[in-house]
Amino acid sequence: MSDIALKLRRFAETGRSLDRVWVTIVAILLALAVVVPAQLPGSLVFTGQQLASVAPFLLLSVMIAAWAGATGADSLIARAFSGHPVKMVLMASAFGALSPFCSCGVIPLIAALLSMGVPLAPVMAFWLASPVIDPAMFMLTVGTIGMEFAVGKLLAAIALGLIGGFATLWLTRLGFLTEPLREGIGNGGCGGGKMRSPKSPVWRFWHDPDRTDRFRRDAIKTTLFLGKWLALAFLLESLMVTYIPAETVSAAVGGDGVLPVLIATLVGVPAYLNGYAALPLVGGLIGQGMQAGAGMAFLVAGGVSSLPAAIAVFALVKKPVFALYLAYALIGSFAVGLVFQIVH
């Protein structure tokens, strides 16, 4: 009996160690093979062709991310949180939109900033801008949707950070939100070290064996991470194009009115999977009739306030700050979607 229990325990541990994205991809392919075998070859060909088309942008984004980690360029973010509050908000918005931090480092970094006494306004600006886009995502947005959309997303991230940052600065000067962190929150994991002891970047990192090794490790890790999400996204897009009529998409989020942008903003929160996976899906929806402003609202709202991100924020800050964060995310995403639709 003990042998059976041990085997079951090992099986459970193996299951937990499996990557859920790859498991999902395999499960979808197996389901297609059983339920609609005629669709399987088409989905595989579509996914392969789309991956090949974005391969140059994927390679460039991987190199950017690995370079940032190897040189220590991400430590430059510390300079955005010193000086006059207005300057701090401006710098934090720009650095947030351009920062190459990994997703696991954003929440601990925010905890580190707040616990070290950095004002909430620039932290909020960085918090709102950072999840929307980064250098790697910018290049993949160019490859999947287009340069105009990528630039619009970058400007939307900065605008969202500025709006949230200056609104928070006004509220704090009125005496609100003086203690944003929940009780017992520490000072921040892997992101906190960059704030406590920022170091100058080493641009010629290849002269340092440790940094060269980190570049190689980060490049492999980022390639696998982006590759699996893009593969899942393109696989889902192949099914979406096949089974969701273009007229259905056009009726829900097409046209030139305000309603499609509002729907995309509200749907973006629960439906958002991952910033990289969302890009091909939105590109496919735009090809089927989704208006560009609705696509922008979906990506911005989902990036800032997706369910995993919202849960992490809720665990980190007090309820008024969390409510303010959600309000900025939804109202700001709706606004940038409308603006993008007008100027597009």
Side-chain angles (χ1 to χ4, degrees):
M1 187 68 181
S2 60
D3 291 340
I4 296 176
L6 182 59
K7 290 179 180 179
L8 289 174
R9 181 179 177 182
R10 288 176 177 173
F11 180 78
E13 291 175 350
T14 302
R16 285 195 296 268
S17 65
L18 293 175
D19 189 291
R20 288 176 294 178
V21 178
W22 290 119
V23 170
T24 302
I25 292 173
V26 172
I28 292 174
L29 294 176
L30 289 175
L32 289 176
V34 173
V35 180
V36 280
Q39 176 60 31
L40 181 59
S43 290
L44 289 174
V45 170
F46 180 91
T47 302
Q49 289 176 339
Q50 295 301 312
L51 285 173
S53 68
V54 301
F57 301 97
L58 174 62
L59 178 62
L60 183 57
S61 66
V62 166
M63 293 299 103
I64 291 173
W67 170 83
T71 60
D74 49 4
S75 65
L76 293 174
I77 193 67
R79 301 179 186 177
F81 297 95
S82 60
H84 191 276
V86 173
K87 174 189 173 184
M88 292 166 69
V89 170
L90 293 171
M91 293 292 291
S93 299
F95 270 95
L98 300 172
S99 63
F101 281 102
C102 63
S103 58
C104 70
V106 172
I107 297 299
L109 175 60
I110 296 302
L113 291 169
L114 293 175
S115 64
M116 290 160 48
V118 175
L120 180 60
V123 174
M124 183 66 79
F126 176 81
W127 206 340
L128 292 167
S130 183
V132 176
I133 200 164
D134 56 45
M137 192 179 294
F138 181 90
M139 294 308 306
L140 285 176
T141 304
V142 173
T144 54
I145 305 180
M147 176 63 76
E148 182 182 5
F149 202 95
V151 173
K153 198 162 182 271
L154 174 62
L155 295 178
I158 297 173
L160 194 61
L162 291 175
I163 293 169
F166 283 120
T168 303
L169 179 61
W170 176 69
L171 290 173
T172 55
R173 286 179 172 176
L174 292 177
F176 299 106
L177 311 171
T178 55
E179 296 181 4
L181 279 176
R182 288 181 180 267
E183 297 295 332
I185 297 298
N187 67 344
C190 62
K194 295 181 177 65
M195 292 303 307
R196 289 188 290 270
S197 55
K199 299 178 181 179
S200 298
V202 179
W203 302 117
R204 298 182 179 182
F205 70 89
W206 51 87
H207 297 301
D208 186 331
D210 291 336
R211 291 179 180 272
T212 303
D213 186 58
R214 178 176 178 178
F215 177 87
R216 182 173 59 254
R217 293 197 313 269
D218 286 355
I220 295 173
K221 180 180 178 181
T222 305
T223 300
L224 292 175
F225 174 78
L226 296 180
K228 68 183 182 184
W229 278 108
L230 288 173
L232 175 60
F234 288 131
L235 181 58
L236 293 175
E237 185 185 354
S238 73
L239 301 178
M240 178 187 69
V241 171
T242 301
Y243 295 108
I244 301 179
E247 56 269 20
T248 301
V249 177
S250 181
V253 287
D256 299 321
V258 173
L259 185 59
V261 179
L262 178 61
I263 293 174
T265 301
L266 297 176
V267 171
V269 177
Y272 199 80
L273 297 174
N274 171 276
Y276 299 99
L279 291 174
L281 295 179
V282 170
L285 287 170
I286 290 175
Q288 289 184 276
M290 183 185 204
Q291 61 167 269
M296 181 65 71
F298 176 87
L299 288 175
V300 175
V304 177
S305 58
S306 62
L307 289 179
I311 291 170
V313 174
F314 183 79
L316 182 63
V317 298
K318 294 180 178 178
K319 291 181 181 178
V321 179
F322 176 72
L324 192 64
Y325 156 83
L326 284 182
Y328 289 149
L330 294 176
I331 296 173
S333 301
F334 178 65
V336 299
L338 287 179
V339 172
F340 188 75
Q341 183 61 27
I342 293 171
V343 300
H344 184 261

